[in-house]
Amino acid sequence: MELVKNLSVGVISAGFMVLGTAAQALSVTLTYDRSIGSPGFGPGQLFVPQGITVDDAGNTLISNGRGLNPDGSFNPNIGNKVEVFNPKGKYIGAIGKGGKGPGEFDEPSALEISPQTKNLYVGDVFNNRVNVFDPKGNFVKSFGTFGGLKEGRAFFGPSGVTFDKTGNVYVGDFSGDKINKYTKNGELISSIGTTGTEPGQFQGPAGLRISPVSGNFFVSDQFNNRVQVLTPEGKSILTFGKQGTGDGEFNQPIGLEVDEFENIYVADSINSRVQVFDKNGKFLTAFGKPSGATPPKLGEPPFGDPLDLTPGTFNWTGGTAYKDGKLYVGDFFQGRVQVLSVEGAAPVPEPVSTFGFVLFGVGATAVKIQKNRQKKTVSLEKELAKTAV
């Protein structure tokens, strides 16, 4: 349990004020809730789910693999779509299809929904662009140019996607080792980062989120095996992690999420687990264990052999999403998304010293944080039911 000292002010009804020392205590736990999708190539089935997001109506959108024949040649009719599941996990249809044309994919990757326009932004790896769709799943436009394949890396192109409060969109350029800032219309404004191992430099920026609290950037720096925190201007203010298998160590972190309390959730991909940290990079907990199966090689079917679909077992953790106390984690080589319940994420005041007197029977004061959760929901179910495969 992490303790961070704060100053607590207790106001007594008789008009007296007492100052006391209190602590912020975190005891985060992750527990398995359910799974979405199953391994395979048919409707509602998944392989190498790379990106995950959840819309305001509770539908889960998942980027579904690159279509390849057994000989490794491209087959646009396999995968290459954003699969959509309703809040109960029922498959309701898809957005996009495989190909090179407008609104088509050759390996969809990270995806995210703009809080302002509700448009969906999806990385399109081999087409080297980002595809944008409206809330009904209609193609709007494509934008961006990203670096190509680098030696020693199996992935390239657009990686993480996130938005600031003004609607600008930030997209990781995985091979370019930078983060590009665009207007919501896809016009390039600036870039953050260069190639290297120093603070503020990257080797494969993968997961990317802007804190809803501070506005800082949180980035999983995959081949540096660390997480970086940067100011909105791109200045590095914190790095943590190193290569390894222990608590707080990584083996190529990919997905990353930041909750409303600035807790950080990291998909520690090859270690097949999720690790949780507080905003200062202090390790809190971990969840998940490896299946024991060897990941597939290029040209092989995209599943581990054998599959182990036991809850909490992963064959690499990949894309992530966080929504309303639930963490969504891609089980990369097992064709599913595991949904985890997050508990204990909120800081809870705890007394670390006691007063030697009692005034008017004063007890502990509980402070409740209330949030307006009334949101305008956008449901895709009716639209997608018309085109469901």
Side-chain angles (χ1 to χ4, degrees):
M1 181 179 291
E2 152 97 333
L3 298 179
V4 181
K5 291 185 177 180
N6 269 340
L7 189 65
S8 175
V9 180
V11 180
I12 301 172
S13 59
F16 295 95
M17 180 175 287
V18 177
L19 297 180
T21 302
Q24 295 289 332
L26 286 176
S27 183
V28 177
T29 59
L30 300 178
T31 56
Y32 175 85
D33 180 76
R34 59 194 173 96
S35 290
I36 299 174
S38 60
F41 302 97
Q45 295 184 311
L46 303 172
F47 59 99
V48 288
Q50 289 198 36
I52 309 166
T53 193
V54 183
D55 69 15
D56 289 343
N59 299 310
T60 305
L61 289 73
I62 304 170
S63 295
N64 194 20
R66 188 188 190 204
L68 297 175
N69 292 313
D71 63 0
S73 60
F74 177 55
N75 185 339
N77 297 317
I78 300 175
N80 285 312
K81 294 177 288 188
V82 174
E83 311 286 5
V84 185
F85 299 81
N86 73 12
K88 295 183 178 180
K90 179 183 177 182
Y91 176 68
I92 56 175
I95 296 172
K97 64 179 182 178
K100 303 292 186 180
E104 297 178 340
F105 294 107
D106 188 355
E107 189 172 345
S109 58
L111 73 170
E112 194 54 74
I113 296 170
S114 166
Q116 287 191 346
T117 66
K118 305 303 179 182
N119 286 342
L120 174 68
Y121 292 66
V122 189
D124 185 8
V125 174
F126 284 84
N127 288 327
N128 200 28
R129 64 191 180 186
V130 173
N131 289 335
V132 185
F133 300 85
D134 71 16
K136 294 183 178 180
N138 300 309
F139 175 69
V140 176
K141 68 179 299 180
S142 297
F143 69 89
T145 301
F146 303 88
L149 190 62
K150 272 189 175 182
E151 184 177 355
R153 301 186 187 182
F155 181 83
F156 64 96
S159 51
V161 180
T162 195
F163 300 86
D164 65 21
K165 292 182 179 179
T166 62
N168 295 314
V169 56
Y170 299 77
V171 184
D173 184 347
F174 190 80
S175 301
D177 295 327
K178 61 185 178 179
I179 298 166
N180 293 333
K181 177 181 180 180
Y182 300 91
T183 68
K184 60 186 175 182
N185 295 320
E187 299 171 0
L188 181 64
I189 300 173
S190 61
S191 296
I192 297 171
T194 58
T195 301
T197 59
E198 297 299 317
Q201 296 182 319
F202 303 107
Q203 291 197 85
L208 173 63
R209 285 289 178 261
I210 294 177
S211 165
V213 180
S214 64
N216 291 330
F217 286 95
F218 290 72
V219 186
S220 55
D221 190 0
Q222 185 169 335
F223 293 103
N224 281 327
N225 288 294
R226 65 186 181 184
V227 170
Q228 293 203 60
V229 185
L230 303 94
T231 66
E233 295 74 34
K235 180 181 178 181
S236 178
I237 55 178
L238 174 67
T239 65
F240 61 90
K242 63 178 182 178
Q243 186 167 19
T245 59
D247 293 345
E249 298 177 340
F250 301 110
N251 196 349
Q252 297 190 26
I254 298 180
L256 180 145
E257 301 298 326
V258 181
D259 68 17
E260 61 269 40
F261 309 105
E262 275 195 326
N263 300 309
I264 309 160
Y265 306 82
V266 185
D268 185 9
S269 68
I270 299 178
N271 285 330
S272 295
R273 64 183 179 181
V274 176
Q275 295 195 70
V276 187
F277 303 84
D278 71 9
K279 64 182 180 180
N280 300 309
K282 178 70 174 179
F283 172 80
L284 298 177
T285 191
F287 179 91
K289 62 179 183 179
S291 68
T294 302
K297 298 178 181 179
L298 290 176
E300 294 181 346
F303 302 109
D305 185 16
L307 291 170
D308 183 352
L309 301 181
T310 305
T313 299
F314 295 90
N315 191 339
W316 289 36
T317 49
T320 55
Y322 175 85
K323 184 83 167 182
D324 297 334
K326 301 290 185 183
L327 182 68
Y328 299 71
V329 184
D331 193 354
F332 206 59
F333 295 119
Q334 299 205 117
R336 63 176 177 172
V337 169
Q338 297 194 51
V339 185
L340 311 179
S341 296
V342 180
E343 297 180 356
V348 179
E350 288 185 353
V352 294
S353 63
T354 57
F355 299 109
F357 51 87
V358 177
L359 295 178
F360 307 107
V362 176
T365 302
V367 180
K368 298 182 179 179
I369 301 175
Q370 297 180 345
K371 299 184 71 177
N372 182 358
R373 297 187 176 274
Q374 296 179 350
K375 301 175 180 178
K376 181 180 178 181
T377 62
V378 180
S379 175
L380 292 172
E381 188 161 356
K382 292 183 180 180
E383 296 294 329
L384 292 171
K386 301 175 183 177
T387 59
V389 179

